[in-house]
Amino acid sequence: MGSENDNPQWDSTLAFLMAMIGSAIGLGNIWRYPYVVYSNGGGAFLIPYITSILIMALPFLYLEYAVGFEFKTSVPNIYKKVKKPLEVVGWFICFVSFLILTYYVVIIGWDIIYLVLSITKGWGANTNTFFTTTLLHSTTSTSGLSHIIWPVLGSLIVIWSIIWYISRQNLNDGIGRFSKILIPLLVAIMAIVVIYSITLPGASIGINALFNPKWDALFNLNIWLAAAGQILFSLSLGWGVVSTYSSYLPKNSNLIKNGAIVATANCSFELLAAIGVFSILGFMSMTQNVPINNVVTEGTGLIFVAFPTVFNTMGSIAYIIGPLFFLCVFFAGITTTISLLEPISFAITRKFEIRREIVVTILCAIGFLASIVFATGMGSYLVKIVDNFLNNFGVLFGIVLECLIFGWLYNTEKLLNIINKNAKIKLGTWWIYLIKYLIPLMLIGIWVNGIYGLILTNNLTTLIIQLIIAILMVIFPTIFTIRPKREKKLEIE
Ligand code: PHE
Protein backbone atom coordinates (compact mmCIF):
# COMPACT_ATOMS: atom_id res chain seq x y z
CA MET A 1 0.00 0.00 0.00
CA GLY A 2 1.23 3.50 -0.77
CA SER A 3 2.35 5.22 2.41
CA GLU A 4 0.37 8.33 1.44
CA ASN A 5 -2.80 6.51 2.37
CA ASP A 6 -1.99 6.06 6.01
CA ASN A 7 -1.35 9.70 6.79
CA PRO A 8 -2.43 10.50 10.34
CA GLN A 9 -5.46 12.78 10.62
CA TRP A 10 -6.75 15.15 13.33
CA ASP A 11 -9.93 13.78 14.85
CA SER A 12 -11.37 17.28 15.28
CA THR A 13 -10.75 20.82 14.11
CA LEU A 14 -10.34 21.74 17.77
CA ALA A 15 -7.34 19.43 18.12
CA PHE A 16 -5.71 21.03 15.07
CA LEU A 17 -6.41 24.57 16.30
CA MET A 18 -5.12 23.87 19.80
CA ALA A 19 -1.96 22.25 18.43
CA MET A 20 -1.37 25.18 16.09
CA ILE A 21 -2.00 27.75 18.80
CA GLY A 22 0.20 25.68 21.11
CA SER A 23 3.04 25.91 18.64
CA ALA A 24 2.54 29.63 18.07
CA ILE A 25 2.27 30.67 21.70
CA GLY A 26 5.71 30.18 23.13
CA LEU A 27 8.67 32.02 24.54
CA GLY A 28 8.31 34.44 21.63
CA ASN A 29 5.01 35.72 23.00
CA ILE A 30 5.98 36.04 26.62
CA TRP A 31 9.54 37.24 26.63
CA ARG A 32 10.29 38.44 23.12
CA TYR A 33 7.20 40.38 22.12
CA PRO A 34 6.94 42.86 25.03
CA TYR A 35 10.54 43.91 24.58
CA VAL A 36 10.29 44.11 20.80
CA VAL A 37 7.28 46.44 21.08
CA TYR A 38 8.93 48.60 23.70
CA SER A 39 12.24 49.00 21.90
CA ASN A 40 10.73 49.59 18.47
CA GLY A 41 8.56 52.62 18.91
CA GLY A 42 6.06 51.44 21.57
CA GLY A 43 2.47 52.06 20.47
CA ALA A 44 3.61 53.12 17.02
CA PHE A 45 5.03 49.61 16.58
CA LEU A 46 1.50 48.30 16.36
CA ILE A 47 1.18 49.82 12.89
CA PRO A 48 4.05 47.87 11.29
CA TYR A 49 3.02 44.87 13.40
CA ILE A 50 -0.59 44.80 12.18
CA THR A 51 0.49 45.65 8.62
CA SER A 52 2.96 42.73 8.70
CA ILE A 53 0.25 40.39 9.91
CA LEU A 54 -2.07 41.37 7.10
CA ILE A 55 0.27 41.61 4.15
CA MET A 56 2.86 39.04 5.12
CA ALA A 57 2.17 36.68 8.00
CA LEU A 58 -1.42 35.70 7.18
CA PRO A 59 -0.77 35.25 3.42
CA PHE A 60 2.32 33.21 4.27
CA LEU A 61 0.41 31.18 6.86
CA TYR A 62 -2.12 30.34 4.15
CA LEU A 63 0.68 29.33 1.80
CA GLU A 64 1.99 26.85 4.36
CA TYR A 65 -1.53 25.60 5.06
CA ALA A 66 -2.23 25.06 1.38
CA VAL A 67 1.02 23.23 0.78
CA GLY A 68 0.55 20.81 3.70
CA PHE A 69 -3.14 20.35 2.96
CA GLU A 70 -2.59 19.66 -0.74
CA PHE A 71 0.36 17.29 -0.54
CA LYS A 72 -0.62 15.53 2.69
CA THR A 73 2.89 14.38 3.38
CA SER A 74 6.11 15.33 5.15
CA VAL A 75 8.03 18.54 4.39
CA PRO A 76 10.91 16.87 2.44
CA ASN A 77 8.37 14.90 0.40
CA ILE A 78 6.46 18.07 -0.41
CA TYR A 79 9.59 19.68 -1.87
CA LYS A 80 10.50 16.46 -3.65
CA LYS A 81 7.13 16.54 -5.38
CA VAL A 82 7.71 20.08 -6.57
CA LYS A 83 11.12 19.13 -8.00
CA LYS A 84 13.12 16.07 -7.03
CA PRO A 85 16.41 17.74 -6.02
CA LEU A 86 14.53 20.15 -3.75
CA GLU A 87 14.01 17.37 -1.21
CA VAL A 88 17.16 18.65 0.50
CA VAL A 89 15.45 21.98 1.25
CA GLY A 90 12.75 20.09 3.16
CA TRP A 91 15.33 18.21 5.22
CA PHE A 92 17.17 21.46 5.85
CA ILE A 93 14.02 23.03 7.32
CA CYS A 94 13.31 19.98 9.50
CA PHE A 95 16.91 19.83 10.68
CA VAL A 96 17.02 23.53 11.64
CA SER A 97 13.83 23.09 13.69
CA PHE A 98 15.40 20.13 15.46
CA LEU A 99 18.56 22.11 16.22
CA ILE A 100 16.48 24.92 17.64
CA LEU A 101 14.64 22.41 19.78
CA THR A 102 17.93 21.33 21.39
CA TYR A 103 18.37 24.72 23.05
CA TYR A 104 14.73 25.82 23.33
CA VAL A 105 14.37 22.97 25.88
CA VAL A 106 17.21 24.46 27.92
CA ILE A 107 15.36 27.74 28.43
CA ILE A 108 12.32 25.78 29.54
CA GLY A 109 14.70 23.85 31.80
CA TRP A 110 15.72 27.09 33.50
CA ASP A 111 12.04 27.90 33.82
CA ILE A 112 11.36 24.59 35.62
CA ILE A 113 14.10 25.41 38.12
CA TYR A 114 12.51 28.83 38.72
CA LEU A 115 9.09 27.25 39.03
CA VAL A 116 10.42 25.20 41.93
CA LEU A 117 12.38 28.10 43.41
CA SER A 118 9.37 30.43 43.25
CA ILE A 119 7.62 28.36 45.90
CA THR A 120 10.12 29.67 48.49
CA LYS A 121 11.61 32.64 46.55
CA GLY A 122 14.74 30.51 46.63
CA TRP A 123 16.67 32.88 44.33
CA GLY A 124 17.58 35.19 47.24
CA ALA A 125 18.00 38.94 47.20
CA ASN A 126 20.53 39.33 44.39
CA THR A 127 18.64 37.81 41.49
CA ASN A 128 21.18 38.68 38.83
CA THR A 129 24.14 37.05 40.56
CA PHE A 130 21.93 34.11 41.44
CA PHE A 131 20.96 33.46 37.82
CA THR A 132 24.29 33.95 36.10
CA THR A 133 26.72 32.79 38.77
CA THR A 134 25.12 30.74 41.54
CA LEU A 135 22.85 28.73 39.26
CA LEU A 136 24.42 28.69 35.80
CA HIS A 137 28.12 29.31 36.60
CA SER A 138 28.06 31.21 33.31
CA THR A 139 31.29 31.68 31.47
CA THR A 140 32.20 32.59 27.92
CA SER A 141 35.29 30.43 28.04
CA THR A 142 35.38 26.92 26.55
CA SER A 143 36.67 25.62 29.89
CA GLY A 144 33.04 25.92 31.03
CA LEU A 145 32.17 22.99 28.78
CA SER A 146 33.61 20.51 31.27
CA HIS A 147 31.41 21.83 34.05
CA ILE A 148 27.98 20.20 34.09
CA ILE A 149 25.21 22.23 35.75
CA TRP A 150 23.30 19.43 37.43
CA PRO A 151 19.97 21.18 38.10
CA VAL A 152 19.78 22.12 34.40
CA LEU A 153 20.66 18.59 33.34
CA GLY A 154 17.97 17.27 35.70
CA SER A 155 15.32 19.52 34.19
CA LEU A 156 16.41 18.53 30.69
CA ILE A 157 15.68 14.92 31.61
CA VAL A 158 12.22 15.99 32.79
CA ILE A 159 11.47 17.97 29.61
CA TRP A 160 12.73 15.42 27.13
CA SER A 161 10.72 12.74 28.97
CA ILE A 162 7.58 14.86 28.63
CA ILE A 163 8.22 15.51 24.92
CA TRP A 164 8.88 11.80 24.41
CA TYR A 165 5.76 10.80 26.34
CA ILE A 166 3.47 13.11 24.33
CA SER A 167 5.02 12.77 20.88
CA ARG A 168 5.47 9.02 20.73
CA GLN A 169 1.74 8.42 20.97
CA ASN A 170 -0.40 8.66 17.89
CA LEU A 171 -1.36 12.15 16.74
CA ASN A 172 -4.71 12.48 18.50
CA ASP A 173 -3.83 10.74 21.76
CA GLY A 174 -0.55 12.65 21.99
CA ILE A 175 -0.23 16.14 20.51
CA GLY A 176 -3.99 16.60 19.99
CA ARG A 177 -5.09 15.58 23.49
CA PHE A 178 -2.34 17.40 25.37
CA SER A 179 -2.78 20.61 23.39
CA LYS A 180 -6.51 20.55 24.17
CA ILE A 181 -5.67 20.37 27.88
CA LEU A 182 -2.63 22.64 28.08
CA ILE A 183 -3.75 25.60 25.95
CA PRO A 184 -6.99 26.42 27.80
CA LEU A 185 -5.08 26.00 31.08
CA LEU A 186 -2.36 28.32 29.84
CA VAL A 187 -4.81 30.99 28.78
CA ALA A 188 -6.71 30.78 32.08
CA ILE A 189 -3.57 31.06 34.20
CA MET A 190 -2.17 33.86 32.08
CA ALA A 191 -5.45 35.76 32.43
CA ILE A 192 -5.18 35.50 36.25
CA VAL A 193 -1.59 36.78 36.18
CA VAL A 194 -2.43 39.66 33.85
CA ILE A 195 -5.57 40.73 35.73
CA TYR A 196 -3.64 40.75 38.98
CA SER A 197 -0.76 42.65 37.35
CA ILE A 198 -2.87 45.50 36.08
CA THR A 199 -4.24 46.11 39.56
CA LEU A 200 -0.72 46.63 40.95
CA PRO A 201 0.30 50.14 41.93
CA GLY A 202 2.43 51.62 39.16
CA ALA A 203 0.98 49.33 36.49
CA SER A 204 -0.08 52.33 34.44
CA ILE A 205 3.53 53.59 34.32
CA GLY A 206 4.47 50.36 32.57
CA ILE A 207 1.48 50.29 30.23
CA ASN A 208 2.08 53.93 29.25
CA ALA A 209 5.72 53.20 28.55
CA LEU A 210 4.77 50.20 26.45
CA PHE A 211 2.19 51.88 24.29
CA ASN A 212 3.40 55.47 24.30
CA PRO A 213 3.83 55.93 20.55
CA LYS A 214 7.04 57.28 19.09
CA TRP A 215 5.73 58.20 15.68
CA ASP A 216 9.09 58.94 14.09
CA ALA A 217 9.82 55.22 14.53
CA LEU A 218 7.54 54.60 11.57
CA PHE A 219 10.17 56.10 9.26
CA ASN A 220 12.78 53.64 10.43
CA LEU A 221 13.08 50.59 8.18
CA ASN A 222 14.56 48.46 10.97
CA ILE A 223 11.33 48.73 12.89
CA TRP A 224 9.36 47.37 9.98
CA LEU A 225 11.85 44.52 9.70
CA ALA A 226 11.61 43.87 13.45
CA ALA A 227 7.81 43.71 13.20
CA ALA A 228 7.95 41.27 10.30
CA GLY A 229 10.58 39.12 12.03
CA GLN A 230 8.59 39.02 15.26
CA ILE A 231 5.36 37.92 13.65
CA LEU A 232 7.05 35.23 11.55
CA PHE A 233 8.64 33.80 14.68
CA SER A 234 5.53 34.13 16.74
CA LEU A 235 3.27 32.36 14.25
CA SER A 236 5.85 29.56 13.82
CA LEU A 237 6.18 30.30 10.11
CA GLY A 238 8.90 28.82 7.94
CA TRP A 239 9.94 25.99 10.24
CA GLY A 240 7.94 23.17 8.66
CA VAL A 241 5.55 23.02 11.62
CA VAL A 242 2.53 24.61 9.94
CA SER A 243 2.75 22.47 6.79
CA THR A 244 3.22 19.32 8.83
CA TYR A 245 0.25 20.05 11.11
CA SER A 246 -1.97 21.02 8.17
CA SER A 247 -1.04 17.87 6.27
CA TYR A 248 -3.04 16.04 8.98
CA LEU A 249 -6.22 18.02 8.21
CA PRO A 250 -9.28 16.25 6.82
CA LYS A 251 -10.37 17.13 3.28
CA ASN A 252 -13.32 19.34 4.21
CA SER A 253 -11.35 21.79 6.39
CA ASN A 254 -11.86 25.53 6.03
CA LEU A 255 -8.31 26.88 5.82
CA ILE A 256 -9.21 30.57 5.78
CA LYS A 257 -11.23 30.34 8.97
CA ASN A 258 -8.67 28.19 10.79
CA GLY A 259 -5.83 30.51 9.87
CA ALA A 260 -7.71 33.57 11.05
CA ILE A 261 -8.49 31.90 14.39
CA VAL A 262 -4.87 30.87 14.99
CA ALA A 263 -3.48 34.30 14.10
CA THR A 264 -6.06 36.13 16.23
CA ALA A 265 -5.51 33.85 19.24
CA ASN A 266 -1.73 34.17 19.00
CA CYS A 267 -1.68 37.93 18.60
CA SER A 268 -4.25 38.53 21.35
CA PHE A 269 -2.20 36.38 23.69
CA GLU A 270 0.90 38.28 22.75
CA LEU A 271 -0.76 41.63 23.52
CA LEU A 272 -2.17 40.32 26.77
CA ALA A 273 1.26 39.06 27.81
CA ALA A 274 2.83 42.43 26.96
CA ILE A 275 0.29 44.28 29.08
CA GLY A 276 0.92 41.91 32.00
CA VAL A 277 4.70 42.08 31.70
CA PHE A 278 4.76 45.88 31.52
CA SER A 279 2.32 46.30 34.39
CA ILE A 280 4.70 44.27 36.52
CA LEU A 281 7.69 46.30 35.30
CA GLY A 282 5.76 49.50 36.06
CA PHE A 283 5.19 48.25 39.60
CA MET A 284 8.90 47.52 39.89
CA SER A 285 9.82 50.95 38.59
CA MET A 286 7.56 52.56 41.19
CA THR A 287 8.52 50.46 44.22
CA GLN A 288 12.25 50.69 43.51
CA ASN A 289 12.05 54.27 42.40
CA VAL A 290 13.94 53.71 39.17
CA PRO A 291 12.88 54.96 35.73
CA ILE A 292 11.00 52.40 33.68
CA ASN A 293 13.65 52.16 30.95
CA ASN A 294 16.15 50.93 33.54
CA VAL A 295 14.01 47.94 34.46
CA VAL A 296 13.09 46.84 30.97
CA THR A 297 15.12 43.91 29.71
CA GLU A 298 14.51 41.17 27.25
CA GLY A 299 14.58 37.40 27.25
CA THR A 300 16.45 35.69 30.04
CA GLY A 301 17.02 38.99 31.83
CA LEU A 302 13.28 39.58 31.95
CA ILE A 303 12.07 36.19 33.08
CA PHE A 304 14.90 35.07 35.31
CA VAL A 305 16.19 38.36 36.74
CA ALA A 306 13.60 41.14 36.55
CA PHE A 307 10.61 38.99 37.48
CA PRO A 308 12.21 37.32 40.53
CA THR A 309 13.20 40.82 41.69
CA VAL A 310 9.58 41.93 41.40
CA PHE A 311 8.36 38.85 43.26
CA ASN A 312 10.80 39.70 46.06
CA THR A 313 9.10 43.06 46.56
CA MET A 314 5.57 41.74 46.20
CA GLY A 315 4.99 40.19 49.63
CA SER A 316 3.25 36.87 50.14
CA ILE A 317 0.99 37.04 47.06
CA ALA A 318 4.21 36.37 45.13
CA TYR A 319 4.07 32.78 46.38
CA ILE A 320 0.99 32.37 44.19
CA ILE A 321 1.69 34.73 41.28
CA GLY A 322 5.33 33.61 40.93
CA PRO A 323 4.62 29.90 40.45
CA LEU A 324 1.65 30.70 38.19
CA PHE A 325 3.85 32.86 35.98
CA PHE A 326 6.57 30.24 35.63
CA LEU A 327 3.90 27.61 35.01
CA CYS A 328 2.63 29.71 32.09
CA VAL A 329 6.06 29.83 30.53
CA PHE A 330 6.34 26.08 31.05
CA PHE A 331 3.01 25.23 29.39
CA ALA A 332 3.66 27.65 26.53
CA GLY A 333 7.10 26.11 26.07
CA ILE A 334 6.06 22.46 26.12
CA THR A 335 3.41 22.79 23.41
CA THR A 336 5.97 24.62 21.26
CA THR A 337 8.66 21.98 21.74
CA ILE A 338 6.40 19.14 20.66
CA SER A 339 5.64 21.08 17.49
CA LEU A 340 9.36 21.52 16.78
CA LEU A 341 9.95 17.77 16.90
CA GLU A 342 7.05 16.92 14.61
CA PRO A 343 8.40 17.96 11.16
CA ILE A 344 11.54 15.86 11.46
CA SER A 345 9.94 12.90 13.18
CA PHE A 346 7.13 12.74 10.61
CA ALA A 347 9.65 13.09 7.77
CA ILE A 348 11.79 10.21 9.03
CA THR A 349 8.73 8.04 9.66
CA ARG A 350 7.62 8.68 6.08
CA LYS A 351 10.89 8.17 4.29
CA PHE A 352 12.30 5.22 6.17
CA GLU A 353 9.03 3.52 7.12
CA ILE A 354 9.96 3.33 10.77
CA ARG A 355 7.26 3.40 13.44
CA ARG A 356 6.57 6.81 15.01
CA GLU A 357 7.28 5.47 18.50
CA ILE A 358 10.78 4.37 17.53
CA VAL A 359 11.62 7.53 15.60
CA VAL A 360 10.48 9.74 18.47
CA THR A 361 12.45 7.69 20.99
CA ILE A 362 15.65 7.92 18.95
CA LEU A 363 15.21 11.65 18.23
CA CYS A 364 14.53 12.43 21.90
CA ALA A 365 17.67 10.47 22.91
CA ILE A 366 19.81 12.31 20.34
CA GLY A 367 18.18 15.64 21.21
CA PHE A 368 18.84 15.09 24.90
CA LEU A 369 22.50 14.24 24.30
CA ALA A 370 22.92 17.29 22.07
CA SER A 371 21.26 19.60 24.58
CA ILE A 372 23.73 18.58 27.32
CA VAL A 373 26.24 21.01 25.83
CA PHE A 374 23.84 23.80 26.85
CA ALA A 375 23.71 22.42 30.40
CA THR A 376 27.35 23.31 31.01
CA GLY A 377 29.00 26.45 32.33
CA MET A 378 29.25 27.71 28.76
CA GLY A 379 25.58 26.85 28.15
CA SER A 380 23.88 30.24 28.42
CA TYR A 381 26.55 31.82 26.20
CA LEU A 382 26.11 29.07 23.62
CA VAL A 383 22.32 29.44 23.70
CA LYS A 384 22.72 33.10 22.77
CA ILE A 385 25.11 32.43 19.89
CA VAL A 386 23.23 29.48 18.43
CA ASP A 387 19.86 31.22 18.78
CA ASN A 388 21.13 34.32 17.05
CA PHE A 389 22.67 32.37 14.20
CA LEU A 390 19.81 29.96 13.58
CA ASN A 391 17.11 32.61 13.75
CA ASN A 392 18.87 35.20 11.65
CA PHE A 393 20.40 32.87 9.14
CA GLY A 394 19.00 29.32 9.14
CA VAL A 395 15.29 29.87 9.53
CA LEU A 396 15.18 32.88 7.23
CA PHE A 397 17.18 31.08 4.57
CA GLY A 398 14.54 28.34 4.65
CA ILE A 399 11.68 30.86 4.48
CA VAL A 400 13.18 32.73 1.54
CA LEU A 401 13.66 29.45 -0.36
CA GLU A 402 10.15 28.33 0.52
CA CYS A 403 8.61 31.53 -0.75
CA LEU A 404 10.60 31.53 -3.99
CA ILE A 405 9.98 27.84 -4.65
CA PHE A 406 6.21 28.00 -4.17
CA GLY A 407 5.87 31.42 -5.72
CA TRP A 408 7.87 30.66 -8.84
CA LEU A 409 8.29 26.90 -9.36
CA TYR A 410 4.82 25.86 -8.42
CA ASN A 411 1.39 26.78 -9.62
CA THR A 412 0.29 29.60 -7.29
CA GLU A 413 -3.19 29.72 -8.75
CA LYS A 414 -3.67 26.11 -7.80
CA LEU A 415 -2.58 26.93 -4.26
CA LEU A 416 -5.02 29.82 -4.12
CA ASN A 417 -7.85 27.51 -5.14
CA ILE A 418 -6.87 25.08 -2.41
CA ILE A 419 -6.94 27.83 0.20
CA ASN A 420 -10.33 29.03 -0.97
CA LYS A 421 -11.82 25.59 -1.47
CA ASN A 422 -14.03 25.17 1.59
CA ALA A 423 -14.15 28.83 2.59
CA LYS A 424 -17.02 31.31 2.58
CA ILE A 425 -14.77 34.36 2.61
CA LYS A 426 -12.19 33.86 -0.10
CA LEU A 427 -8.78 35.33 -0.87
CA GLY A 428 -8.46 37.32 -4.09
CA THR A 429 -5.76 37.05 -6.72
CA TRP A 430 -3.82 39.77 -4.88
CA TRP A 431 -2.57 36.89 -2.71
CA ILE A 432 -0.55 35.62 -5.70
CA TYR A 433 1.17 38.99 -6.09
CA LEU A 434 2.03 39.11 -2.43
CA ILE A 435 3.55 35.61 -2.52
CA LYS A 436 5.46 36.20 -5.75
CA TYR A 437 6.79 39.72 -5.25
CA LEU A 438 6.23 41.58 -2.04
CA ILE A 439 6.78 38.86 0.56
CA PRO A 440 10.03 37.49 -0.96
CA LEU A 441 11.36 41.04 -1.11
CA MET A 442 10.50 41.68 2.52
CA LEU A 443 11.97 38.34 3.58
CA ILE A 444 15.18 38.92 1.70
CA GLY A 445 15.38 42.34 3.40
CA ILE A 446 15.04 40.78 6.86
CA TRP A 447 17.51 38.05 5.98
CA VAL A 448 20.20 40.36 4.61
CA ASN A 449 19.76 42.63 7.62
CA GLY A 450 20.22 39.62 9.92
CA ILE A 451 23.29 38.32 8.11
CA TYR A 452 24.81 41.76 8.20
CA GLY A 453 24.47 41.69 11.97
CA LEU A 454 26.10 38.25 12.12
CA ILE A 455 29.06 39.26 9.97
CA LEU A 456 29.73 42.23 12.22
CA THR A 457 30.58 39.77 15.00
CA ASN A 458 34.31 39.58 15.11
CA ASN A 459 34.53 37.25 18.05
CA LEU A 460 36.47 34.12 17.04
CA THR A 461 34.57 31.65 19.27
CA THR A 462 31.27 32.89 17.86
CA LEU A 463 32.51 32.56 14.30
CA ILE A 464 33.79 29.01 14.90
CA ILE A 465 30.50 27.96 16.48
CA GLN A 466 28.56 29.46 13.57
CA LEU A 467 30.79 27.61 11.15
CA ILE A 468 30.26 24.28 12.92
CA ILE A 469 26.48 24.72 12.80
CA ALA A 470 26.62 25.75 9.14
CA ILE A 471 28.56 22.57 8.31
CA LEU A 472 26.07 20.42 10.21
CA MET A 473 23.25 22.19 8.34
CA VAL A 474 24.75 21.04 5.06
CA ILE A 475 25.84 17.52 6.04
CA PHE A 476 22.72 16.15 7.72
CA PRO A 477 20.09 17.29 5.21
CA THR A 478 22.29 15.96 2.39
CA ILE A 479 22.66 12.55 4.04
CA PHE A 480 18.92 12.26 4.62
CA THR A 481 18.26 13.27 1.02
CA ILE A 482 20.61 10.82 -0.65
CA ARG A 483 19.70 7.85 1.52
CA PRO A 484 17.27 5.80 -0.52
CA LYS A 485 13.66 5.66 0.57
CA ARG A 486 12.75 2.41 2.27
CA GLU A 487 9.82 0.63 0.73
CA LYS A 488 7.16 -0.59 3.08
CA LYS A 489 7.28 -4.34 3.72
CA LEU A 490 4.19 -6.38 2.93
CA GLU A 491 1.85 -6.79 5.85
CA ILE A 492 1.97 -10.66 5.59
CA GLU A 493 5.42 -10.81 7.15
N1 PHE B 1 6.16 30.45 17.86
C1 PHE B 1 7.10 30.02 18.83
C2 PHE B 1 7.26 31.06 19.91
O1 PHE B 1 6.63 32.09 19.89
C3 PHE B 1 8.44 29.73 18.24
C4 PHE B 1 8.39 28.75 17.16
C5 PHE B 1 8.71 29.11 15.89
C6 PHE B 1 7.98 27.46 17.37
C7 PHE B 1 8.62 28.20 14.85
C8 PHE B 1 7.87 26.53 16.36
C9 PHE B 1 8.20 26.91 15.08
O2 PHE B 1 7.99 30.86 20.84
Side-chain angles (χ1 to χ4, degrees):
M1 227 194 354
S3 50
E4 247 72 352
N5 298 335
D6 37 60
N7 215 43
Q9 201 175 86
W10 299 109
D11 58 6
S12 66
T13 311
L14 184 70
F16 167 72
L17 288 175
M18 290 298 141
M20 284 286 296
I21 295 172
S23 172
I25 296 182
L27 297 173
N29 302 55
I30 303 177
W31 83 5
R32 199 168 181 272
Y33 181 76
Y35 182 77
V36 172
V37 180
Y38 176 76
S39 53
N40 287 293
F45 178 82
L46 295 181
I47 296 177
Y49 176 70
I50 294 170
T51 315
S52 301
I53 296 177
L54 296 177
I55 65 168
M56 189 183 74
L58 258 184
F60 200 76
L61 182 74
Y62 287 132
L63 170 75
E64 294 210 343
Y65 267 9
V67 164
F69 187 68
E70 162 71 359
F71 289 96
K72 298 240 173 307
T73 187
S74 69
V75 178
N77 265 350
I78 292 177
Y79 282 89
K80 191 175 169 190
K81 287 187 175 179
V82 175
K83 278 222 172 3
K84 204 154 178 268
L86 293 179
E87 181 182 342
V88 71
V89 177
W91 284 109
F92 173 84
I93 293 173
C94 295
F95 185 67
V96 170
S97 300
F98 184 67
L99 275 183
I100 291 180
L101 175 61
T102 61
Y103 70 82
Y104 202 97
V105 286
V106 179
I107 303 171
I108 307 170
W110 299 340
D111 179 74
I112 295 189
I113 298 172
Y114 273 77
L115 176 59
V116 176
L117 289 172
S118 63
I119 299 169
T120 57
K121 297 190 190 171
W123 43 68
N126 194 336
T127 51
N128 194 4
T129 316
F130 178 84
F131 179 64
T132 49
T133 314
T134 320
L135 178 65
L136 297 184
H137 299 275
S138 282
T139 166
T140 52
S141 135
T142 42
S143 62
L145 286 174
S146 55
H147 184 170
I148 294 280
I149 312 298
W150 295 105
V152 180
L153 190 72
S155 27
L156 283 181
I157 297 178
V158 174
I159 296 162
W160 280 108
S161 310
I162 299 176
I163 300 176
W164 173 78
Y165 179 77
I166 299 178
S167 292
R168 64 186 250 286
Q169 307 186 45
N170 75 47
L171 184 70
N172 292 303
D173 293 340
I175 302 181
R177 186 161 56 105
F178 282 91
S179 304
K180 280 191 282 188
I181 301 171
L182 292 179
I183 294 304
L185 260 178
L186 167 64
V187 173
I189 301 176
M190 192 66 181
I192 297 176
V193 175
V194 174
I195 291 172
Y196 174 72
S197 313
I198 48 184
T199 61
L200 284 170
S204 58
I205 303 176
I207 299 177
N208 281 341
L210 173 67
F211 291 122
N212 173 26
K214 298 179 198 65
W215 296 111
D216 49 338
L218 289 179
F219 299 102
N220 181 344
L221 179 68
N222 282 332
I223 288 178
W224 288 82
L225 296 181
Q230 166 64 24
I231 189 67
L232 284 178
F233 182 84
S234 181
L235 277 175
S236 306
L237 295 171
W239 305 34
V241 173
V242 177
S243 300
T244 305
Y245 276 5
S246 57
S247 74
Y248 305 148
L249 276 172
K251 279 209 165 58
N252 56 358
S253 308
N254 180 340
L255 298 187
I256 302 256
K257 190 165 135 197
N258 287 344
I261 295 176
V262 171
T264 312
N266 178 63
C267 299
S268 316
F269 187 94
E270 203 149 80
L271 262 157
L272 193 78
I275 292 174
V277 165
F278 269 79
S279 303
I280 292 180
L281 293 178
F283 168 71
M284 184 170 167
S285 146
M286 198 179 100
T287 47
Q288 303 200 340
N289 211 0
V290 279
I292 182 94
N293 38 353
N294 289 7
V295 295
V296 178
T297 48
E298 71 171 321
T300 36
L302 175 71
I303 298 191
F304 304 118
V305 179
F307 271 60
T309 313
V310 179
F311 296 138
N312 281 348
T313 50
M314 224 181 231
S316 41
I317 186 87
Y319 294 112
I320 299 171
I321 294 296
L324 285 182
F325 174 76
F326 290 112
L327 199 62
C328 273
V329 179
F330 176 64
F331 284 166
I334 283 297
T335 45
T336 300
T337 54
I338 53 177
S339 80
L340 281 170
L341 187 68
E342 194 59 16
I344 193 158
S345 79
F346 184 48
I348 296 179
T349 320
R350 262 289 112 92
K351 178 151 185 178
F352 302 107
E353 296 294 354
I354 309 172
R355 285 210 324 273
R356 178 184 180 91
E357 215 180 315
I358 299 174
V359 174
V360 168
T361 307
I362 296 173
L363 284 173
C364 285
I366 297 175
F368 167 66
L369 292 176
S371 58
I372 292 179
V373 61
F374 301 108
T376 64
M378 206 189 172
S380 56
Y381 182 57
L382 287 177
V383 166
K384 235 187 239 151
I385 299 175
V386 178
D387 178 51
N388 200 7
F389 181 65
L390 288 177
N391 269 310
N392 285 314
F393 178 77
V395 176
L396 279 167
F397 182 53
I399 302 190
V400 169
L401 285 179
E402 179 178 350
C403 206
L404 292 176
I405 289 170
F406 288 101
W408 292 93
L409 299 180
Y410 196 72
N411 183 345
T412 27
E413 256 163 54
K414 187 170 167 199
L415 287 176
L416 181 61
N417 287 337
I418 297 163
I419 300 172
N420 284 335
K421 203 169 125 209
N422 302 313
K424 285 198 193 87
I425 303 172
K426 298 184 194 290
L427 293 188
T429 41
W430 48 265
W431 179 83
I432 297 181
Y433 294 101
L434 288 180
I435 293 294
K436 274 185 156 240
Y437 305 101
L438 189 73
I439 299 180
L441 269 178
M442 286 173 74
L443 292 173
I444 291 173
I446 307 175
W447 190 49
V448 171
N449 195 36
I451 295 180
Y452 182 66
L454 290 176
I455 296 174
L456 288 186
T457 317
N458 47 13
N459 176 315
L460 189 65
T461 323
T462 310
L463 286 176
I464 294 176
I465 295 167
Q466 291 178 348
L467 189 70
I468 296 175
I469 308 170
I471 295 173
L472 294 178
M473 285 193 319
V474 173
I475 295 182
F476 280 99
T478 313
I479 295 178
F480 279 108
T481 308
I482 52 185
R483 293 256 338 153
K485 181 172 167 41
R486 201 168 123 196
E487 293 309 326
K488 201 174 186 185
K489 295 210 184 95
L490 289 174
E491 298 295 330
I492 327 159
E493 281 185 325

